[in-house]
């Protein structure tokens, strides 16, 4: 069976990458295959995870590249070399330019640790998302998988899952619960959903 070729872009621990790898190994992700991991950071633990599962990886560091253009040209050429059809941003810490994003309509998805449109957009990443949710006093938060367009966290929503907030939560506790009960579940599900669509609709997908 033909599968959608997926690149997962990471910068950190890679627990969401791990959830995707596990889904692939369990046959839950069956319409797509992770054929490349792109890391924005050479020390990302996500790279170890890729290696352990025999997935090729490439490091493209924004610091080393002189400019955003050079950074994105390098990423594009790695994606092209591996015939990538779907990009999954799983904790990738660099913003991709509107120019880059416009070349991949409905072909880039991202996982965000809140229920968009709450606690999202510029500056909302990592623990800040959960700190703000706690400060606001929300009783429910969660995670969202969405398409990536030129507006940070502004693309069409694909899947969401809610998670309760408890009285004695710290940002760290809440972050962990959102990952375990939402992110690691909906990201593989969305990867399968979109991979299947790409295979079914072929060249028309995303137009
Ligand atoms: C996750 O919280 C994800 O929602 C956000 O970045 C974090 C990445 O964590 N986009 P990990 O590297 O997958 O463990």
């Amino acid at each position: 069976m033909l599968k959608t070729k997926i690149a997962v872009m990471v910068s950190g621990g890679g627990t969401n990458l791990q959830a995707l790898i596990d889904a692939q190994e369990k046959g839950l992700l069956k319409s797509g295959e992770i054929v490349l991991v792109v890391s924005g950071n050479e020390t990302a633990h996500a790279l170890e995870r890729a290696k352990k599962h025999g997935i090729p990886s490439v490091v493209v560091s924004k610091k080393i590249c002189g400019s955003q253009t050079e950074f994105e040209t390098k990423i594009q050429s790695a994606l092209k070399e591996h015939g990538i059809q779907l990009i999954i941003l799983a904790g990738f810490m660099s913003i991709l330019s509107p120019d880059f994003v416009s070349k991949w309509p409905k072909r880039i998805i991202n996982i965000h640790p809140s229920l968009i449109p709450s606690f999202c957009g510029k500056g909302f990443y990592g623990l800040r998302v959960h700190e703000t949710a706690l400060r606001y006093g929300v009783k429910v938060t969660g995670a969202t998988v969405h398409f990536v367009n030129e507006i940070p966290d502004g693309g069409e929503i694909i899947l969401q899952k809610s998670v309760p907030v408890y009285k004695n939560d710290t940002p760290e506790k809440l972050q962990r619960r959102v990952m375990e009960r939402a992110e690691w579940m909906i990201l593989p599900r969305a990867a399968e959903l979109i991979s299947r669509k790409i295979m079914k609709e072929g060249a028309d997908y995303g137009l």
Side-chain angles (χ1 to χ4, degrees):
M1 182 179 116
L2 265 183
K3 293 187 179 195
T4 296
K5 291 187 175 180
I6 301 173
V8 184
M9 296 182 57
V10 296
S11 297
T15 61
N16 280 286
L17 168 65
Q18 190 64 53
L20 289 163
I21 294 172
D22 293 347
Q24 182 168 290
E25 293 183 349
K26 283 187 202 144
L28 300 172
L29 172 55
K30 50 180 187 288
S31 308
E33 185 180 356
I34 306 163
V35 297
L36 180 68
V37 168
V38 177
S39 175
N41 173 356
E42 62 182 355
T43 59
H45 180 63
L47 288 168
E48 300 301 317
R49 298 181 191 267
K51 198 170 160 197
K52 201 169 154 202
H53 293 269
I55 303 168
S57 62
V58 57
V59 177
V60 186
S61 155
K62 201 166 171 180
K63 261 191 239 155
I64 293 168
C65 296
S67 63
Q68 181 77 14
T69 312
E70 196 187 326
F71 174 64
E72 292 186 350
T73 305
K74 282 203 172 134
I75 296 173
Q76 292 282 21
S77 71
L79 298 174
K80 196 168 170 205
E81 199 181 304
H82 288 80
I84 298 304
Q85 296 163 291
L86 174 65
I87 301 171
I88 301 181
L89 304 182
F92 186 65
M93 294 302 286
S94 305
I95 298 267
L96 296 166
S97 72
D99 182 52
F100 183 103
V101 169
S102 69
K103 291 189 176 110
W104 294 86
K106 285 200 158 191
R107 298 275 185 160
I108 312 178
I109 68 174
N110 179 49
I111 175 87
H112 182 78
S114 76
L115 293 173
I116 290 176
S118 290
F119 316 121
C120 65
K122 218 168 171 249
F124 281 103
Y125 59 86
L127 279 177
R128 267 197 64 186
V129 177
H130 306 291
E131 276 161 12
T132 315
L134 288 177
R135 206 175 315 127
Y136 213 95
V138 294
K139 305 299 177 212
V140 171
T141 184
T144 304
V145 182
H146 63 93
F147 284 114
V148 173
N149 65 9
E150 57 292 343
I151 303 155
D153 298 327
E156 190 187 325
I157 290 172
I158 303 167
L159 289 177
Q160 287 188 307
K161 190 166 187 301
S162 64
V163 166
V165 179
Y166 299 135
K167 227 171 155 188
N168 298 323
D169 271 345
T170 60
E172 291 79 4
K173 274 194 200 166
L174 186 56
Q175 180 181 51
R176 185 74 194 176
R177 190 177 313 120
V178 168
M179 282 180 151
E180 284 175 351
R181 296 205 207 164
E183 295 184 39
W184 301 342
M185 299 170 87
I186 61 173
L187 186 59
R189 240 181 259 157
E192 172 58 21
L193 210 72
I194 305 304
S195 294
R196 204 187 312 145
K197 257 182 169 290
I198 292 175
M199 283 297 98
K200 241 170 101 183
E201 293 166 32
D204 291 338
Y205 176 82
L207 296 178

